[in-house]
Amino acid sequence: GPSADLSRRRTSRRLGRGWAVAAISSKDRHSGCWGRGDRERIAAATKWVRERTGAGPATVALGASSGGAAACYVPGVDASVAQIMASPLHMGSAHPPVRFVHMERDKRRAAMIHHQVAALRAAGVDAGEMVVHPEPLDAAALYRRGDGPGGEVLPTPETAEAVVAALRRSGFIDERGYLVEDPRRSNWRDTVREAVPAADTLVADASPVSEIMNVAFAQHEFTDAHLE
């Protein structure tokens, strides 16, 4: 799905800049969520990669949702990127430099992050926030999400056009192309099932189409926005 695809594209870009990249799984493989119990797991993984690649001592962490919180408490981290999540740490000078990437429709989390950025800056920490806005859902986004390897969503432009047309006919997309309901809660799957290849299960947090729709709605999803 796009989460794996985005990870591959991020990895390619970082390798091109001389970084050693480690993709780490959480201890809880049932939910996939991260917790404080993962701290030592992360430390061991980064140590293993550093020893085998000869990478320097600097560590930058990126994660989304509970992984965004984990990115802030990676042992010895020099900077963090926390997507769609506030920091769980004390808002003091010991907090690592951080960039929060959050989505416009999540007003509660946006307010929390805005407060944290102000508090961290007051404590002398390099902190900032980047907002991801809703975007029209069109055939181009459903066909490919970005250039290069890992950008594929649907196999052909015609398939993508058929999915958009089905969503529009059923009222899930407005006249400007924006989703009118949160795709995590609306029953759009029955509408597009006939047009989407069976290889895409349309299961939440696994389906490429599902995740692209979540990004377009801009409520809560791993994203390539502000990737650079």
Side-chain angles (χ1 to χ4, degrees), residues 24 34-36 38-39 42 46 59-89 94-101 222:
I24 307 169
W34 296 80
R36 297 274 184 160
D38 287 304
R39 283 174 54 91
I42 297 168
T46 53
T59 300
V60 177
L62 180 150
S65 197
S66 63
C72 295
Y73 57 68
V74 169
V77 70
D78 293 281
S80 303
V81 178
Q83 287 197 355
I84 55 175
M85 184 59 69
S87 172
L89 303 182
H95 196 290
V98 61
R99 292 296 181 270
F100 296 100
V101 180
F222 192 46

Side-chain angles (χ1 to χ4, degrees), residues 105 137 167 170-174 178-188 213-214 216-219:
R105 293 187 191 274
L137 184 70
L167 290 168
S170 297
F172 290 101
I173 298 177
D174 67 17
Y178 289 89
L179 288 162
V180 299
E181 296 181 76
D182 184 348
R184 289 187 179 273
R185 301 179 183 275
S186 64
N187 188 26
W188 56 270
M213 290 182 64
N214 291 340
F217 190 72
Q219 174 79 30

Side-chain angles (χ1 to χ4, degrees), residues 7-71:
S7 295
R8 285 194 291 270
R9 298 208 322 264
R10 283 192 172 113
T11 297
S12 177
R13 293 181 188 190
R14 298 305 172 264
L15 290 173
R17 295 174 182 176
W19 289 80
V21 181
I24 307 169
S25 299
S26 61
K27 185 176 181 180
D28 183 351
R29 300 317 305 142
H30 176 68
S31 70
C33 290
W34 296 80
R36 297 274 184 160
D38 287 304
R39 283 174 54 91
E40 296 312 312
R41 180 187 183 89
I42 297 168
T46 53
K47 180 174 183 288
W48 187 91
V49 171
R50 185 168 282 114
E51 288 173 350
R52 281 155 181 78
T53 62
T59 300
V60 177
L62 180 150
S65 197
S66 63

Side-chain angles (χ1 to χ4, degrees), residues 100-113:
F100 296 100
V101 180
H102 59 97
M103 294 190 157
E104 180 181 317
R105 293 187 191 274
D106 191 346
K107 303 298 185 185
R108 183 183 66 83
R109 189 163 282 116
M112 185 183 303
I113 289 171

Side-chain angles (χ1 to χ4, degrees), residues 1-8 150 152-153 200 205-209 211:
S3 293
D5 297 338
L6 296 183
S7 295
R8 285 194 291 270
E152 302 83 0
V153 181
D200 188 324
D205 298 323
S207 157
V209 170
E211 295 194 1

